Amino acid sequence: MEVIGGKWKVVILCHLILGTRRTNQLKKLMPGITQKMLTQQLRELESDGVIERKVYNQVPPMVEYTLTEYGSSLKDILDSLCKWGENHIVKVHGVNHDLLEESILNH
Amino acid sequence: MEVIGGKWKVVILCHLILGTRRTNQLKKLMPGITQKMLTQQLRELESDGVIERKVYNQVPPMVEYTLTEYGSSLKDILDSLCKWGENHIVKVHGVNHDLLEESILNH
DNA sequence: CTGTATCCTGATAGATACTG
DNA sequence: CAGTATCTATCAGGATACAG
């Protein structure tokens, strides 16, 4: 739970499951997150060994984040978590399915 | 994550998967938890509909907690979570397997 | 574009004492 | 036995400004 318990970590991980992403791509995928939180959560995921940070020395800067092989072992958890979470949100909050992505990914 | 994200919730749920437990049983199973936290986490799990609280009117009081049917749907998540967590602790903290239960359930 | 540095607030949790 | 009430400490997270 310490590894995936941060407010945005599961969301970040779900995005990275789909492939490598740049910092700004992640930011656009999660409009509700602040720059500070994004960096912070990414650093923690990195130091836990589940994602990798690749810096390209150029101007303007470019940084890519990728799921490590170890991080990929979280896929099962993420999947069952997302599945359960969707049902739960629909059940408890009565959100219809079209609003789910927005509801989940932005908050 | 809001449902299982509390500091002790996954531990409580893991115990309740094995069967109904009384308050004091849970307390003994988790030496590190305080009375306050135990009650609090149980109440939250209850209001999320994943556990059920049964009060027997007697002296001394007896209260039993059981996983609801809905709560049982968390079993997959809990399983994969525990599995991954064990590996992670061994890998990161170098804890040997005998110390795992103590390490996990008490902190 | 990516990231750091502050400052600040609310949530979370620990300790302790008390109640029916 | 099970739970409540306080009070306090800590921490995660938000807002904002700044930097290479």
Side-chain angles (χ1 to χ4, degrees):
Chain A
M1 292 300 293
E2 285 169 17
V3 177
I4 64 168
K7 183 169 183 183
W8 297 91
K9 289 185 183 176
V10 292
V11 184
I12 292 173
L13 290 174
C14 284
H15 284 306
L16 292 186
I17 280 181
L18 303 175
T20 298
R21 293 287 180 270
R22 296 186 53 180
T23 309
N24 212 32
Q25 285 182 307
L26 289 172
K27 209 186 304 183
K28 280 173 187 162
L29 288 166
M30 300 174 286
I33 199 172
T34 61
Q35 169 67 241
K36 176 198 166 189
M37 283 311 296
L38 179 57
T39 306
Q40 189 180 103
Q41 304 275 293
L42 287 169
R43 289 296 137 81
E44 292 176 12
L45 290 171
E46 187 192 3
S47 75
D48 279 325
V50 297
I51 69 172
E52 189 189 5
R53 180 169 181 260
K54 208 178 301 178
V55 183
Y56 297 85
N57 281 325
Q58 42 181 58
V59 180
M62 168 160 124
V63 178
E64 280 183 347
Y65 293 94
T66 318
L67 221 56
T68 62
E69 194 176 344
Y70 184 53
S72 299
S73 66
L74 282 167
K75 199 171 177 311
D76 281 351
I77 294 178
L78 263 22
D79 282 344
S80 42
L81 217 44
C82 285
K83 211 163 164 181
W84 196 90
E86 287 197 8
N87 286 332
H88 184 73
I89 290 177
V90 170
K91 175 189 160 147
V92 174
H93 302 287
V95 179
N96 75 46
H97 204 279
D98 293 342
L99 293 176
L100 259 181
E101 189 176 355
E102 184 192 343
S103 177
I104 295 171
L105 301 181
N106 295 355
H107 303 315
Chain B
M1 292 301 294
E2 283 169 18
V3 177
I4 63 168
K7 185 170 181 182
W8 296 90
K9 290 186 181 174
V10 291
V11 184
I12 292 173
L13 290 174
C14 283
H15 284 306
L16 292 185
I17 280 182
L18 303 175
T20 297
R21 293 286 179 270
R22 295 185 55 180
T23 310
N24 213 31
Q25 285 181 308
L26 289 172
K27 210 188 301 185
K28 281 172 188 162
L29 289 166
M30 299 175 285
I33 199 172
T34 62
Q35 170 70 47
K36 176 196 165 191
M37 282 309 295
L38 178 57
T39 306
Q40 190 181 102
Q41 304 275 291
L42 287 168
R43 289 296 138 80
E44 291 176 13
L45 290 171
E46 186 191 4
S47 75
D48 280 325
V50 297
I51 70 173
E52 189 188 5
R53 180 170 181 260
K54 208 178 301 179
V55 183
Y56 298 85
N57 282 324
Q58 35 180 24
V59 180
M62 168 160 124
V63 179
E64 282 182 346
Y65 293 95
T66 318
L67 220 58
T68 64
E69 194 176 345
Y70 185 52
S72 300
S73 66
L74 281 167
K75 200 173 176 311
D76 281 352
I77 294 178
L78 262 24
D79 281 346
S80 43
L81 217 44
C82 287
K83 212 164 165 181
W84 196 90
E86 287 198 7
N87 287 332
H88 184 72
I89 289 177
V90 172
K91 176 188 159 148
V92 174
H93 302 289
V95 179
N96 75 47
H97 204 278
D98 292 342
L99 293 175
L100 256 182
E101 190 176 353
E102 185 193 341
S103 177
I104 294 172
L105 300 182
N106 295 356
H107 304 314

